[in-house]
Amino acid sequence: MASTPLPNVAYFCMEYGLSDQLKTYSGGLGILAGDHLKGAKDNNLPIVGIGIKWKHGYGRQVLQDDNSQAYVFPDYDYSFLKDTGVEVTVPVAGHDIRAKVWLCDTFGTVPLYLLDTDLPSNPEPLLTGVLYGGSPDARVAQEMILGIGGVRALRALGLDIDLYHFNEGHALLAAFELIREKMDAGASYGEAVAATKAEVVFTTHTPVLAGNEVHPIDRLVRLGADRGLGADRLRALGGDPFGMTVGGLKLASKANGVAQLHGVTANQMWSHVEGRPHIHAITNGIHRPTWVDDRMLDAASDDDLDGLWAAHQDNKRALINLIESRVGVTLDANKLLIGFARRAVTYKRANLIFSDLERIAPMLESGQIQLVFSGKAHPQDKGGQALVSELIAMTKRFPQSVVYLPNYDMEIGAALTRGVDVWLNNPRRPKEASGTSGMKSAMNGVLNCSILDGWWPEACDHGVNGWQIGDGFESPDPAVQDAHDAASLYEVVLGEVVPTYYDERAQWKQMMHNSIQSTRDVFSIKRMLEHYVEQLYLPAVAETA
């Protein structure tokens, strides 16, 4: 890391994936945030995390007989969190909402402070109950707890912060609190905005316009989320309706996307935003101690291809045992096992491999190809839920070769990214920002077979360390793009992946070795954090020195 003194950074995120014991995450954003804090701990970076203690998590998925899904919301046991003794107040729609501050310093992380409104004095409904749950008003109120309450928690804890890192637009309201602090101390609005911008950096993750959060300005003002700035100032900062990403970019001195391709996409997407910083491309990385089997790293370092294969087969059998215990299906450790696991949204196209059943069905019926899927849809995402229903229907059509694992979580994610033979990824380019599950797989000797989207264009050496699907084709017509990509998927899976696995085992082992060696450092959290320090943190504080 840099020799220049590092700034004290407060990292704000709506979700954190540190351990399955802490159900404060839904997917990739939270897993990245958890890895960010673990990497900061490993590398002695002066970072603290600010988040929310979600009492019911994101929701537990329950499969129904008709292939649909229901969601239940348990009360999780977070007794391992430490009581800081600190409470803060956040004014929400005229009510003073109290938030207790808990400390998580287990799971190998820098201090993570979690705000909790589950207090008897607060009115119902519980604001910190369900991650991404509730009405639009509740969503804004949750972000007020994170942003406004987070800044107040830092003050109450006596922490000296130089830089505020907003991981996505959910944290933007912290900037409004920073502006209000400065105005209350005598600064003009313009002075307060300039000073706040100098101490904020912003990471955007979502290359799909519809996925970038917006709110009517009157909602933000009515709830008090604007901290008294007023409708006109909000309109100038984020448009009307107010865009949280637009506001995040305009109130940051430095910004980044999360892969090289995503950097290009993000700069194009937000080219109309006046006064925003250039969006740097800092490719995500993963925390190897959390996600990667040391046996695989060691065998690759020693060029021990047989040892590599033996360790992988151990992981594959462990995954098969997990599958059997969860859904009662026993897969064959000697047959090709392809995994697909990620948040269930339509653009990720989990069903693409079933596009031409006449071509794929014989391979599934013979067991030459086995498929395991996992991934939850948001409880309000009907398209994502329909996609999962389609996958479940395929498990009934091919009961010995197609599996769906419900309740995708860190345990399942770790087992899959270690235990399958191939990691399949086929989003509609360029709609995937990064895709860290593919990095985890690659470092575990699992061969990626992916569309050239997210991180994979930076890593893929076709036929050497994995395979690319197609040629980076994009179309404004989803049907055209899907047809093109489905044809490319069948060409590479049936024409290259299957023959290599069954007929060229020595080549397969060498590709596993190449996969590990070509990704283990470049896509590690250590490299990612070095880039954050060099491209965001140090330049941001240097400009204010």
Side-chain angles (χ1 to χ4, degrees):
M1 295 292 175
S3 57
T4 306
L6 298 173
N8 294 320
V9 178
Y11 182 92
F12 284 69
C13 190
M14 199 71 157
E15 51 172 299
Y16 290 89
L18 292 168
S19 164
D20 262 342
Q21 292 179 257
L22 188 66
K23 299 290 188 181
T24 53
Y25 65 94
S26 71
L29 180 72
I31 299 300
L32 174 74
D35 281 10
H36 195 112
L37 297 193
K38 289 177 180 178
K41 174 74 170 180
D42 293 346
N43 293 283
N44 298 310
L45 298 183
I47 297 176
V48 298
I50 298 291
I52 289 181
K53 177 177 175 278
W54 297 105
K55 182 175 183 178
H56 308 302
Y58 185 63
R60 184 170 178 81
Q61 187 185 35
V62 179
L63 305 185
Q64 308 294 296
D65 290 341
D66 64 354
N67 300 343
S68 65
Q69 308 107 64
Y71 289 84
V72 296
F73 300 93
D75 288 357
Y76 289 109
D77 177 15
Y78 298 145
S79 57
F80 52 85
L81 298 178
K82 297 177 181 177
D83 186 349
T84 65
V86 168
E87 289 187 10
V88 297
T89 299
V90 180
V92 179
H95 300 283
D96 282 340
I97 304 298
R98 295 196 65 78
K100 188 175 182 61
V101 182
W102 298 89
L103 170 63
C104 178
D105 59 2
T106 51
F107 314 121
T109 176
V110 293
L112 168 61
Y113 296 99
L114 300 172
L115 287 90
D116 171 22
T117 64
D118 187 18
L119 302 173
S121 60
N122 282 333
E124 290 295 333
L126 173 65
L127 289 180
T128 56
V130 178
L131 173 60
Y132 303 133
S135 67
D137 276 15
R139 177 67 170 268
V140 172
Q142 291 170 345
E143 293 172 354
M144 293 174 70
I145 300 299
L146 174 68
I148 299 168
V151 171
R152 294 183 174 190
L154 291 168
R155 304 293 180 258
L157 290 162
L159 298 175
D160 181 23
I161 300 301
D162 302 307
L163 207 57
Y164 301 83
H165 183 172
F166 299 166
N167 194 34
E168 266 297 357
H170 313 121
L172 172 62
L173 302 182
F176 293 176
E177 178 69 5
L178 295 172
I179 291 170
R180 174 49 57 191
E181 282 184 340
K182 294 169 178 60
M183 292 176 69
D184 288 346
S188 69
Y189 172 69
E191 291 169 339
V193 168
T196 295
K197 183 170 182 174
E199 59 187 7
V200 170
V201 298
F202 181 76
T203 301
T204 178
H205 292 260
T206 310
V208 182
L209 270 176
N212 287 269
E213 189 178 353
V214 298
H215 293 289
I217 284 178
D218 63 354
R219 176 183 297 146
L220 298 177
V221 173
R222 173 171 50 82
L223 294 174
D226 66 321
R227 294 298 289 123
L229 300 183
D232 290 343
R233 287 169 173 166
L234 289 192
R235 196 171 290 112
L237 283 173
D240 192 358
F242 185 90
M244 301 293 277
T245 302
V246 174
L249 290 169
K250 293 188 76 166
L251 286 174
S253 62
K254 302 291 177 186
N256 74 288
V258 291
Q260 300 307 301
L261 176 61
H262 180 231
V264 174
T265 303
N267 279 299
Q268 292 172 345
M269 274 179 63
W270 306 113
S271 60
H272 62 284
V273 178
E274 296 181 3
R276 69 164 176 87
H278 172 73
I279 301 172
H280 295 268
I282 299 179
T283 303
N284 283 342
I286 66 162
H287 186 247
R288 284 199 313 242
T290 296
W291 298 106
V292 182
D293 184 346
D294 284 339
R295 294 178 302 168
M296 304 300 292
L297 297 174
D298 292 343
S301 296
D302 295 339
D303 294 327
D304 180 4
L305 299 187
D306 289 337
L308 197 64
W309 180 257
H312 169 69
Q313 285 297 101
D314 283 349
N315 288 332
K316 187 175 183 180
R317 283 187 287 269
L319 171 61
I320 287 171
N321 291 338
L322 175 67
I323 291 170
E324 185 174 21
S325 70
R326 295 286 183 96
V327 296
V329 176
T330 304
L331 299 179
D332 188 339
N334 296 312
K335 298 292 181 66
L336 178 65
L337 180 55
I338 299 175
F340 186 108
R342 49 193 46 85
R343 187 166 50 92
V345 290
T346 53
Y347 75 83
K348 293 180 184 286
R349 302 185 300 188
N351 57 351
L352 192 66
I353 197 167
F354 299 118
S355 298
D356 187 344
L357 278 175
E358 286 191 10
R359 291 189 71 183
I360 198 67
M363 302 298 291
L364 297 173
E365 289 165 349
S366 68
Q368 291 291 98
I369 291 178
Q370 304 171 114
L371 298 169
V372 56
F373 296 89
S374 194
K376 293 187 286 191
H378 188 279
Q380 297 171 3
D381 179 4
K382 301 305 180 186
Q385 290 195 44
L387 186 63
V388 172
S389 295
E390 185 177 342
L391 298 179
I392 296 169
M394 288 298 168
T395 70
K396 296 178 179 178
R397 179 163 180 171
F398 306 102
Q400 298 306 311
S401 55
V402 180
V403 168
Y404 177 81
L405 284 175
N407 289 309
Y408 184 42
D409 58 15
M410 289 182 68
E411 180 187 5
I412 290 174
L416 287 172
T417 53
R418 293 182 182 204
V420 298
D421 298 305
V422 171
W423 195 252
L424 180 64
N425 189 30
N426 43 240
R428 289 192 189 102
R429 177 185 161 120
K431 293 188 175 182
E432 176 155 281
S434 183
T436 55
S437 61
M439 301 175 188
K440 296 161 191 160
S441 304
M443 291 185 210
N444 279 302
V446 171
L447 302 183
N448 276 259
C449 182
S450 176
I451 294 285
L452 290 171
D453 200 7
W455 76 290
W456 191 229
E458 302 169 43
C460 180
D461 189 351
H462 184 85
V464 176
N465 68 351
W467 295 272
Q468 69 186 57
I469 299 171
D471 50 8
F473 176 75
E474 298 175 22
S475 172
D477 184 339
V480 171
Q481 191 163 352
D482 291 355
H484 175 278
D485 290 347
S488 299
L489 185 156
Y490 284 123
E491 180 180 348
V492 70
V493 170
L494 300 182
E496 296 187 58
V497 176
V498 171
T500 305
Y501 182 81
Y502 287 108
D503 302 332
E504 303 291 342
R505 185 57 53 80
Q507 180 185 343
W508 190 279
K509 294 176 183 178
Q510 185 62 50
M511 289 180 69
M512 292 171 63
H513 173 273
N514 298 343
S515 174
I516 295 169
Q517 294 296 78
S518 64
T519 60
R520 61 190 297 167
D521 295 321
V522 180
F523 298 100
S524 69
I525 203 73
K526 182 177 186 295
R527 188 275 312 153
M528 186 196 86
L529 287 171
E530 288 172 348
H531 286 183
Y532 272 105
V533 168
E534 295 162 2
Q535 298 181 38
L536 262 64
Y537 296 166
L538 288 178
V541 294
E543 290 177 6
T544 61

